[in-house]
Amino acid sequence: KAGVTQTPRYLIKTRGQQVTLSCSPISGHRSVSWYQQTPGQGLQFLFEYFSETQRNKGNFPGRFSGRQFSNSRSEMNVSTLELGDSALYLCASSLAASSTDTQYFGPGTRLTVL
Amino acid sequence: AQTVTQSQPEMSVQEAETVTLSCTYDTSESDYYLFWYKQPPSRQMILVIRQEAYKQQNATENRFSVNFQKAAKSFSLKISDSQLGDAAMYFCAYRRVGAQKLVFGQGTRLTINP
């Protein structure tokens, strides 16, 4: 069974642009969560989706948004990019939204904002 | 809000030796889950071990075991017979019951000396 895939793996953008990152969960998994990882702030929760509904959102500005499609694939969008948005963005999937489920992480998308 | 603290930014150990990584957390919940994740240079986050707070028995996975002290809110990871492949960043994480959101510590970088 294929693992969690994230595309693209690397991305370079300039300030003010917007970006869309994609996450395909493990087949059969319906819950997807997103995290931002930076050297200064560490790993921070962005949002969680289950069955196309956002169930939880972290403390990030409205420039960060996401959605989930009927096939459980998820996208996150960052508008009006700032230098501080440079980070590794990790996606994790689990079978359902139960806290007993194990979350499996993808390899991440490295975003660099110039 | 829950917080997770890893007080050791870096640790090193000789190959085949045993090393213990420390983690403390703060929560007002009585039931929750604790995890240790490993992030090698490839950046892929890998689950090492998990512990349910309601279980008194410490979790064990091959060479990895935890010392869970609920009253002290302490959750340390012991790696026995360290191998070169164990070199990575190790993150302690907390998840409350009913949620998918993981709260991560700042991580401990583990170096294995041959």
Side-chain angles (χ1 to χ4, degrees):
Chain A
K1 187 183 274 191
V4 178
T5 58
Q6 293 187 244
T7 56
R9 293 291 311 277
Y10 302 91
L11 206 49
I12 299 176
K13 291 286 187 179
T14 57
R15 279 181 299 175
Q17 289 186 308
Q18 76 165 16
V19 67
T20 299
L21 312 182
S22 179
C23 171
S24 292
I26 292 171
S27 178
H29 284 196
R30 296 165 61 196
S31 175
V32 173
S33 298
W34 289 88
Y35 295 85
Q36 181 196 64
Q37 185 175 21
T38 60
Q41 298 298 315
L43 283 147
Q44 293 186 288
F45 171 78
L46 279 157
F47 17 66
E48 172 209 340
Y49 287 89
F50 177 72
S51 292
E52 303 178 66
T53 301
Q54 187 180 87
R55 281 170 36 105
N56 201 356
K57 189 177 192 303
N59 189 25
F60 279 82
R63 300 185 296 107
F64 291 81
S65 63
R67 59 178 175 170
Q68 186 180 34
F69 302 95
S70 58
N71 63 356
S72 295
R73 188 177 70 86
S74 178
E75 289 181 347
M76 66 163 283
N77 184 77
V78 187
S79 62
T80 319
L81 283 166
E82 301 178 358
L83 295 179
D85 297 333
S86 295
L88 180 69
Y89 290 87
L90 293 167
C91 162
S93 80
S94 62
L95 194 61
S98 167
S99 52
T100 60
D101 294 330
T102 296
Q103 290 176 300
Y104 297 89
F105 281 82
T109 293
R110 169 75 65 186
L111 171 65
T112 302
V113 182
L114 302 177
Chain B
Q2 296 86 11
T3 58
V4 178
T5 302
Q6 293 178 250
S7 59
Q8 306 153 315
E10 296 185 356
M11 292 279 287
S12 65
V13 64
Q14 292 295 125
E15 193 177 2
E17 297 292 304
T18 295
V19 63
T20 298
L21 308 184
S22 300
C23 172
T24 58
Y25 58 95
D26 187 28
T27 183
S28 59
E29 306 280 342
S30 60
D31 201 8
Y32 45 86
Y33 300 89
L34 296 166
F35 305 84
W36 279 98
Y37 278 90
K38 167 186 176 181
Q39 188 178 41
S42 68
R43 311 300 279 176
Q44 180 106 31
M45 197 77 76
I46 302 164
L47 178 65
V48 175
I49 200 165
R50 65 180 271 166
Q51 174 80 44
E52 287 84 356
Y54 66 87
K55 291 185 177 179
Q56 293 186 340
Q57 188 173 5
N58 289 324
T60 299
E61 287 288 339
N62 300 314
R63 299 182 294 107
F64 299 86
S65 61
V66 297
N67 183 5
F68 173 47
Q69 301 290 326
K70 191 172 184 179
K73 295 181 181 175
S74 169
F75 183 61
S76 61
L77 174 70
K78 186 173 83 171
I79 306 174
S80 303
D81 185 25
S82 297
Q83 300 175 0
L84 294 178
D86 295 333
M89 281 291 287
Y90 285 80
F91 292 94
C92 178
Y94 167 100
R95 191 169 83 194
R96 67 173 179 83
V97 172
Q100 289 286 293
K101 173 186 174 181
L102 289 164
V103 178
F104 287 92
Q106 288 295 90
T108 297
R109 182 175 302 281
L110 178 64
T111 302
I112 311 295
N113 300 312

